[in-house]
């Protein structure tokens, strides 16, 4: 049972005889206005967080600098921080306040391999060639949530608002690597409402399955073990693990035709052997199996295991597998989305400058996308599509099936980009990302105030969660009891690129912006022929 102590407790204190007169909280609209004003006052800090995390460019599970930096800001501002939660060294939970309701903010912090890119430059121009970079824009999420949390803390103290704020990072989201483990570790068990935030080119929220372009998945690595031999002198003595990988992949591609159209499956060979004259004794392939719901994802996973077993039988090798990530398809809460939509409309789109639009259009032209610049308008809250088609995944799905949750899309990037590429990093340390993050922080703070001050809204969100969302569907984790977070992933890549990237870390003590530090003229576009 969830209990609340917001207005009720404050009233009790006020009425208690002989107590010092506490200040009555201002009415909700005035508080929201104050929140927006306070977020504006923090614009420099917001910009610095966007730029600093962009410059760290850390891959999933290796977000050490990012986590140190963000928790440092939160600790300095009086948040209690627990480090290394759920068995993940770069994960943490920061908390302020006491009692109910508990509102948790979550947003991702990891970046994309090979996406290094100079911000503000409308063509491919890496900061460090081949290095990771924020080619999805996850560098802006903490700027949104931390700014909102600092403002909320100030308002809660000044206006004696009860309740608890929590902040949690989405570690290794690109690997769908942690949130099922967060749920298993009980990180959200006392949480009433989760407000997620993700970078987008539009300002929007959604509920239920939204536009239907979400799948759930399991991410599985198959390790084949054969027998080494001289590939020319005695190949009959060997058993090739690489043959098994290739046969598994071929088998999967034949079977693909007979799977539901909603499935998406893809792979990379992570170990193809060492050199041609040695029969590969070890080889490995990594699959993502995506589908629309738990039973179908589970079926794909089992089919994958069957293919692997069969390939090992054909080749006289053995196989074992490791689950390295999983995600339920997200399902978002209608009550919170409707509340959030009003705040999105109240805040409105950022005011884009001519320079912002010039960068956006030049990049769209460069990559052959539709040239239409940055979005200026906010769409109304859309009805969820009846028949989801599937698409990408996000491990916030597991949280959304355990606590009422929404996912705010804030407008900090350029439309019509391919995703997971250098192009998606171009705007991410420019005024586009700075302004979009400020707008996002306002909505996060205002939506939290709605739930802190209206306990009945929290109840309504839970009613929807219990009576609509989970009426017939019950959460079951994809994790087996011995699955562990794959915290060693990306270690080698960051050991290689970390020292090179370090030379370009943003120094806000000497430079107003990262663009200024890199000496980039904003915007830099190709000269007209
Ligand atoms: Zn993302």
């Amino acid at each position: 049972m969830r209990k609340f102590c917001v207005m009720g407790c404050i009233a009790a204190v006020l009425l208690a005889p002989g107590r010092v007169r506490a200040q009555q909280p201002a009415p909700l609209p005035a508080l929201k206005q104050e929140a927006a004003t306070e977020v504006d006052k923090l614009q420099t800090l917001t910009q610095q967080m966007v730029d600093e995390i962009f410059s760290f460019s850390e891959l999933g599970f290796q977000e050490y600098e990012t986590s140190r930096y963000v928790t440092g800001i939160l600790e300095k501002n009086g948040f209690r921080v627990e480090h290394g939660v759920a068995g993940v060294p770069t994960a943490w939970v920061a908390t302020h306040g006491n009692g109910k309701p508990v509102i948790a903010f979550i947003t991702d912090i990891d970046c994309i391999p090979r996406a290094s890119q100079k911000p503000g430059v409308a063509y491919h121009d890496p900061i460090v060639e081949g290095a990771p970079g924020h080619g999805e824009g996850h560098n802006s999420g903490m700027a949104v949530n931390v700014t909102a949390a600092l403002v909320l803390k100030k308002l809660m103290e000044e206006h004696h608002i009860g309740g608890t704020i929590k902040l949690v990072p989405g570690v290794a989201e690109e690997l769908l690597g942690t949130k099922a483990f967060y749920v298993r570790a009980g990180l959200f068990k006392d949480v009433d409402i989760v407000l997620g935030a993700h970078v987008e080119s539009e300002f929007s929220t959604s509920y239920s399955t939204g536009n239907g372009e979400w799948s759930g998945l399991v991410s599985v690595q198959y390790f084949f073990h054969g027998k080494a031999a001289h590939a020319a002198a005695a190949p009959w003595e060997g058993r090739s693990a690489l043959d098994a990988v290739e046969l598994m992949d071929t088998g999967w591609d034949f079977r693909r035709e007979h799977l539901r159209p909603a499935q998406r499956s893809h792979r990379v060979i992570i170990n193809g052997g060492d050199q041609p004259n040695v029969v590969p004794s070890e080889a490995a392939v990594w699959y993502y199996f995506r589908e629309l719901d738990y039973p179908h994802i589970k079926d794909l996973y089992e089919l994958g295991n069957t293919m692997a077993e069969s390939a090992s039988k054909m080749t006289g090798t053995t196989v074992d597998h490791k689950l390295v990530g999983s995600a339920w398809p997200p399902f978002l809460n209608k009550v919170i989305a409707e509340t959030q939509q009003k705040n999105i409309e109240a805040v409105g789109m950022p005011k884009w400058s001519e320079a912002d639009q010039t960068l956006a259009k030049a990049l769209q032209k460069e990559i052959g996308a539709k040239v239409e610049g940055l979005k200026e308008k906010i769409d109304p809250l859309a009805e969820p599509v009846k028949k989801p088609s599937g698409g990408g995944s996000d491990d916030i799905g597991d949280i959304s099936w355990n606590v009422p949750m929404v996912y705010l899309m804030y407008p900090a990037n350029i439309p019509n980009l391919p995703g997971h590429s250098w192009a998606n990093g171009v705007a991410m340390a420019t005024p586009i990302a700075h302004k979009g993050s400020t707008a996002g922080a306002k909505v996060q703070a205002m939506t939290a105030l709605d739930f802190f001050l209206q306990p009945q809204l929290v109840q309504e969100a839970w009613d929807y969660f219990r009576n609509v969302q989970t009426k017939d569907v019950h959460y079951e984790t994809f994790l087996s009891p011995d699955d562990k977070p794959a915290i060693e992933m990306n270690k080698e890549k960051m050991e290689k690129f970390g020292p090179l990237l370090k030379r370009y870390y943003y120094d806000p003590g000497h430079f107003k912006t990262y663009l200024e530090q890199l000496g980039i003229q904003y915007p830099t576009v190709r000269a007209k022929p």
Side-chain angles (χ1 to χ4, degrees), residues 92 132 159 199 273 453:
W92 43 269
H159 297 278
V199 59
L453 281 104

Side-chain angles (χ1 to χ4, degrees), residues 438-514:
T438 289
K442 288 179 186 174
V443 172
Q444 289 290 73
M446 289 160 80
T447 309
L449 286 171
D450 276 316
F451 286 89
F452 276 129
L453 281 104
Q454 303 174 101
Q456 78 281 5
L457 259 193
V458 181
Q459 204 52 58
E460 284 171 32
W462 275 93
D463 287 346
Y464 178 85
F465 179 83
R466 290 197 180 101
N467 302 326
V468 180
Q469 178 180 352
T470 61
K471 189 164 165 270
D472 302 312
V473 182
H474 299 284
Y475 177 77
E476 244 181 292
T477 184
F478 287 109
L479 305 179
S480 73
D482 16 287
D483 285 328
K484 289 192 189 69
I487 57 171
E488 72 290 349
M489 284 175 102
N490 290 324
K491 198 162 175 273
E492 280 174 28
K493 281 185 195 156
M494 283 318 294
E495 275 168 5
K496 178 176 171 195
F497 287 110
L500 302 172
L501 288 162
K502 201 168 183 174
R503 294 183 212 152
Y504 299 95
Y505 284 178
Y506 171 47
D507 175 8
H510 287 91
F511 299 97
K512 259 182 82 184
T513 65
Y514 194 41

Side-chain angles (χ1 to χ4, degrees), residues 332-350:
L332 303 168
N333 189 278
K334 188 176 181 186
V335 176
I336 318 177
E338 286 171 347
T339 306
Q340 186 167 64
Q341 178 73 20
K342 288 183 200 141
N343 295 324
I344 291 172
E345 287 167 16
V347 170
M349 283 299 272

